[in-house]
Amino acid sequence: MQFLQVCIIQRSMFTASDAIYCAKFVELCHKMQASNFSTLIYFDRIFSDVSHIVTNCTDNEASRYGRFLCETLKGISRWHKRQNSVREGMWEISRFCTHHKR
């Protein structure tokens, strides 16, 4: 997922505003059902690679990346709170699939 490495992760460390922007941008990609974008794979990558990313950052960059993760978790929390009303619709969106049925 080169998009994540080059566009999202690097930009999320520039400024606090960029960190928030990146989290909102990914939410928008999910809502718009952007082609070739899997929300589950995205979440897996950003949360499983945290230790590798943060160990190569300055304190300020790590702080801004933490803000990005916090904003991302806020989005997940909103989805979780609404899960009963949107559960069926959410799983119909292919962004939550790890593979597509044919």
Side-chain angles (χ1 to χ4, degrees):
M1 215 176 190
Q2 193 171 6
F3 162 74
L4 178 62
Q5 184 65 34
V6 175
C7 298
I8 300 298
I9 293 174
Q10 286 184 4
R11 181 162 182 183
S12 69
M13 292 186 238
F14 288 154
T15 66
S17 299
D18 284 324
I20 295 168
Y21 173 83
C22 288
K24 299 294 183 187
F25 179 76
V26 170
E27 281 187 42
L28 184 63
C29 286
H30 172 78
K31 284 182 185 177
M32 293 180 61
Q33 300 183 16
S35 61
N36 297 322
F37 179 79
S38 169
T39 306
L40 279 182
I41 292 172
Y42 163 77
F43 288 143
D44 179 61
R45 292 292 170 105
I46 63 167
F47 292 116
S48 64
D49 295 344
V50 169
S51 61
H52 299 291
I53 294 168
V54 174
T55 56
N56 294 318
C57 295
T58 65
D59 289 344
N60 288 333
E61 289 172 335
S63 174
R64 291 185 288 263
Y65 189 69
R67 182 179 298 262
F68 163 71
L69 293 176
C70 181
E71 288 298 316
T72 300
L73 287 170
K74 285 180 185 178
I76 293 172
S77 178
R78 282 191 301 273
W79 288 341
H80 181 70
K81 288 178 184 176
R82 296 183 306 172
Q83 90 179 43
N84 291 335
S85 62
V86 216
R87 180 172 292 187
E88 294 80 21
M90 185 180 293
W91 296 113
E92 289 173 3
I93 296 175
S94 63
R95 307 300 161 242
F96 277 106
C97 297
T98 56
H99 66 280
H100 294 282
K101 295 179 183 178
R102 293 181 187 234

